[in-house]
Amino acid sequence: PRVGASIALHPPKFHSAGKWLQQYSACPGALKELAVFIVFTQPEHMELFKQTMACIAPEVPEDAWVGFIAVKPKAGWRRAVGAENQMIAAYKKWAGVVYMMDLPPEQRPEYGLMLDSELLVFENGGDDYPRGKPRGSACAADGPWSQLYTRIKANENSKTFPAARVSSTLTVYNFGGYSKSGKDYDQSLIRENAGFVKWSKMCDTAGCKEVARQIQEAL
């Protein structure tokens, strides 16, 4: 597949990921177009998820997804509480993208998606079919799902993307000791994600300048 999905997963979200894999593996168009990479922080978590899948969705083929353990940050994993969970999840999603980039050329997706584990196949309203019954026309080998790469490529080539402008005055988030506008908060999120791939204000390459421009102007 030329599109890969990097999914950060940890307990107790196993049921959500299991439901997604159940629907995804029953959707020929999705299997054809999308490779799924699930990122864990600990080997025990990956092993537990495999056991969970054998229990709740034994029909999902073992090769329907690829699991791996993210490299532990130099400063260690953050405590899994509050907003720290968002930082952990973001780091793991980037780890999934880097994992894809390190694959041999013939296996490397052209596009990487960073996703949470709460997913459903957008076909039949996300609802399940009776076990054993194939999914509908959207999942057919020549249906809309089979055009995922083509649609992403066309959007990139056209340089048109869904977007929203955030305000520096309309919404204010109160964090107790300080507050941020919606724009300030979203810029912080973009800046933190850039930091995961080693961007810094001291970097002077063309790529770093483009990231800096994104942080300042994308909103």
Side-chain angles (χ1 to χ4, degrees):
R2 290 174 290 181
V3 183
S6 171
I7 301 176
L9 184 61
H10 59 83
K13 302 289 187 178
F14 288 174
H15 179 268
S16 298
K19 175 62 67 179
W20 155 253
L21 288 174
Q22 196 175 37
Q23 295 187 351
Y24 158 78
S25 64
C27 184
L31 277 172
K32 172 187 172 185
E33 287 290 288
L34 183 69
V36 175
F37 300 86
I38 300 182
V39 190
F40 301 86
T41 55
Q42 301 176 30
E44 309 89 79
H45 288 175
M46 185 164 72
E47 183 57 35
L48 182 59
F49 181 64
K50 290 180 180 178
Q51 295 173 17
T52 301
M53 289 299 296
C55 178
I56 67 174
E59 70 275 21
V60 175
E62 291 185 3
D63 62 355
W65 59 283
V66 175
F68 72 96
I69 313 303
V71 175
K72 186 177 181 179
K74 290 181 179 180
W77 290 108
R78 293 171 178 263
R79 293 176 60 234
V81 294
E84 301 292 287
N85 282 311
Q86 293 182 333
M87 300 291 287
I88 295 170
Y91 175 89
K92 287 164 68 176
K93 290 169 189 174
W94 274 114
V97 170
V98 173
Y99 182 92
M100 295 182 223
M101 294 171 67
D102 285 341
L103 290 172
E106 66 275 10
Q107 300 176 24
R108 188 182 306 146
E110 188 173 334
Y111 293 97
L113 312 177
M114 296 191 290
L115 305 173
D116 291 322
S117 59
E118 295 90 342
L119 296 169
L120 292 174
V121 169
F122 190 74
E123 187 270 337
N124 194 39
D127 291 334
D128 287 330
Y129 286 90
R131 284 207 171 183
K133 182 179 178 181
R135 298 196 72 86
S137 59
C139 276
D142 58 351
W145 257 106
S146 70
Q147 303 301 313
L148 178 63
Y149 169 80
T150 303
R151 289 187 283 119
I152 292 174
K153 186 72 173 177
N155 269 333
E156 182 181 37
N157 289 343
S158 69
K159 301 302 180 185
T160 56
F161 303 94
R165 176 171 291 178
V166 294
S167 171
S168 58
T169 57
L170 290 180
T171 301
V172 176
Y173 298 102
N174 191 327
F175 294 95
Y178 64 98
S179 61
K180 284 187 174 183
S181 71
K183 181 176 181 179
D184 291 338
Y185 181 72
D186 288 353
Q187 279 185 326
S188 295
L189 294 179
I190 296 174
R191 190 177 295 108
E192 287 171 356
N193 272 277
F196 285 132
V197 288
K198 299 299 183 185
W199 174 83
S200 75
K201 292 180 179 179
M202 305 301 294
C203 181
D204 198 40
T205 66
C208 286
K209 289 179 179 178
E210 183 64 13
V211 171
R213 189 175 72 86
Q214 178 194 23
I215 292 171
Q216 293 301 319
E217 300 180 13
L219 300 174

